Amino acid sequence: MESKLIFTCNAVLPIILTIATGYFLKKIRLLPKDFFPLLNKLCFRCCLPCLLCYNVYNLREIKEIAAALPVVIFAVASILCFFFIGLLISIFSTKDNSQRGVMLQAAFRSNYAIIGLSLSLSISSEPKASAIASVLSSVSIPLFNILATIALSVFCSKNEKKGRISNMLKKIATNPLILGCATGFVFLLIRAALPKNDSGEAIFLLSRDVPFAFKTLQNLALAASTIALIALGGNFELSAVSRLKKLIAIGTFSRVILCPLVCLFFAYAVGFRATEFPALIALYGTPIAVSSVPMAAEMDGDAELAGQLVVWTSLCSAFTLFLTIFFCAKIGIFEP
């Protein structure tokens, strides 16, 4: 269990320290304060879409999704359920519409792309468990971004009632993160449809036949989380903690305690065990996605609150993830 604690700390502490680096760079004025919102824009419109496209394209086979269909259906249903639970939490926790969308995101949207996938693979390297973890990333990440767009659009800061549904659909269709996922799926479908060579590979692969394009995509994808975290640190204000402490407490509780507790209980009740639980722990127990901050900033949400929630859910998840893994091992779901 000590190894699991070390791993969860190693997964979360780099996030906290990178955020701290952005905050430090602002304090010493190496980078001007106005520069960090531009970093948010760069991350949201360029680097994060590349990361999502890269992750989806790297899924080995489309048929893996069909093989993991029961856990995929459960994951989608549970995320949708927590979307509606989060809707109630957000309505009763604040009257500010720009904050309601952010609070709603905190209830259902985890950091599966950056932390969750590697965490699930660390918990179990068994091939079937690894395949399920990869499949859930290709399904949950687009779903998270679609629901996040809806969440931020529903609680529009402007009292525009006419055309709200059409505007929401437009925002979903033009959301850079959703477009990144969609592009990855298009490339994946093309790869699956192409004839195979003697070694069983598609006759055309981006990584093999146009390595310069694939490497560029990979470089931008690798830069996404670092840029997002530095921008988050630069926009972080300690003075906001006391003003937002109620919402920070509610959002952190719903993300790292309520969601994993409820969803993992029902996952165990329906019969999922060692093969599925590593991915499910990572899906429900990781902190709110870093991309929620630039997304909130771009869609008139309270980006300051979103940034506070990323910081505090990341800190708290180091402890809650360890306790979750320890408890699951204790009751025999999988071996430590």
Side-chain angles (χ1 to χ4, degrees), residues 6-188:
I6 291 170
F7 177 81
T8 52
C9 288
N10 286 337
V12 174
L13 284 178
I15 293 177
I16 302 301
L17 293 176
T18 309
I19 293 171
T21 300
Y23 184 78
F24 177 73
L25 293 175
K26 180 182 70 172
K27 283 299 182 184
I28 65 172
R29 298 182 182 179
L30 181 64
L31 295 173
K33 189 175 182 179
D34 294 341
F35 177 73
F36 295 100
L38 295 177
L39 276 186
N40 266 340
K41 193 178 293 290
L42 171 65
C43 188
F44 181 72
R45 297 189 180 182
C46 179
C47 296
L48 281 171
C50 289
L51 173 64
L52 297 177
C53 178
Y54 178 77
N55 285 344
V56 172
Y57 179 75
N58 278 341
L59 190 66
R60 287 177 295 178
E61 296 287 346
I62 293 178
K63 63 183 180 182
E64 288 182 354
I65 297 177
L69 196 57
V71 70
V72 167
I73 292 173
F74 179 84
V76 170
S78 60
I79 290 169
L80 290 173
C81 285
F82 253 85
F83 177 86
F84 291 106
I85 291 171
L87 185 61
L88 295 175
I89 293 172
S90 64
I91 290 172
F92 287 107
S93 61
T94 178
K95 294 181 180 180
D96 187 335
N97 280 337
S98 68
Q99 294 178 334
R100 283 176 168 174
V102 173
M103 293 295 289
L104 175 50
Q105 278 196 95
F108 69 85
R109 190 179 187 186
S110 69
N111 198 345
Y112 192 76
I114 297 174
I115 299 177
L117 190 56
S118 60
L119 175 63
S120 64
L121 296 177
S122 172
I123 296 172
S124 175
S125 58
E126 195 265 329
K128 288 185 179 180
S130 300
I132 287 175
S134 298
V135 168
L136 282 184
S137 71
S138 68
V139 175
S140 63
I141 293 170
L143 180 60
F144 282 149
N145 286 286
I146 290 171
L147 293 177
T149 304
I150 294 172
L152 292 167
S153 300
V154 166
F155 296 115
C156 186
S157 59
K158 299 175 183 178
N159 295 320
E160 300 174 351
K161 294 185 179 179
K162 293 183 179 180
R164 177 171 288 185
I165 294 177
S166 61
N167 287 337
M168 187 189 304
L169 293 175
K170 182 180 178 181
K171 286 177 180 178
I172 292 172
T174 58
N175 185 293
L177 305 185
I178 295 172
L179 290 175
C181 290
T183 303
F185 272 113
V186 169
F187 285 140
L188 185 61

Side-chain angles (χ1 to χ4, degrees), residues 101-285:
V102 173
M103 293 295 289
L104 175 50
Q105 278 196 95
F108 69 85
R109 190 179 187 186
S110 69
N111 198 345
Y112 192 76
I114 297 174
I115 299 177
L117 190 56
S118 60
L119 175 63
S120 64
L121 296 177
S122 172
I123 296 172
S124 175
S125 58
E126 195 265 329
K128 288 185 179 180
S130 300
I132 287 175
S134 298
V135 168
L136 282 184
S137 71
S138 68
V139 175
S140 63
I141 293 170
L143 180 60
F144 282 149
N145 286 286
I146 290 171
L147 293 177
T149 304
I150 294 172
L152 292 167
S153 300
V154 166
F155 296 115
C156 186
S157 59
K158 299 175 183 178
N159 295 320
E160 300 174 351
K161 294 185 179 179
K162 293 183 179 180
R164 177 171 288 185
I165 294 177
S166 61
N167 287 337
M168 187 189 304
L169 293 175
K170 182 180 178 181
K171 286 177 180 178
I172 292 172
T174 58
N175 185 293
L177 305 185
I178 295 172
L179 290 175
C181 290
T183 303
F185 272 113
V186 169
F187 285 140
L188 185 61
L189 290 170
I190 293 173
R191 189 183 75 194
L194 290 173
K196 302 292 191 293
N197 57 25
D198 294 337
S199 61
E201 293 181 330
I203 59 173
F204 178 82
L205 292 174
L206 288 177
S207 56
R208 185 188 62 212
D209 299 303
V210 280
F212 62 91
F214 184 79
K215 186 64 177 178
T216 301
L217 177 67
Q218 185 181 50
N219 287 341
L220 290 170
L222 292 173
S225 59
T226 302
I227 292 174
L229 293 169
I230 289 176
L232 174 58
N235 290 309
F236 183 77
E237 293 291 344
L238 282 172
S239 59
V241 175
S242 59
R243 178 169 52 85
L244 298 170
K245 61 183 178 182
K246 174 189 170 184
L247 296 180
I248 291 171
I250 294 171
T252 301
F253 175 80
S254 63
R255 171 85 299 274
V256 301
I257 297 177
L258 183 63
C259 181
L261 184 65
V262 173
C263 293
L264 292 176
F265 172 80
F266 281 103
Y268 185 84
V270 300
F272 294 130
R273 292 296 184 270
T275 303
E276 300 86 5
F277 250 74
L280 293 175
I281 289 172
L283 181 67
Y284 302 125

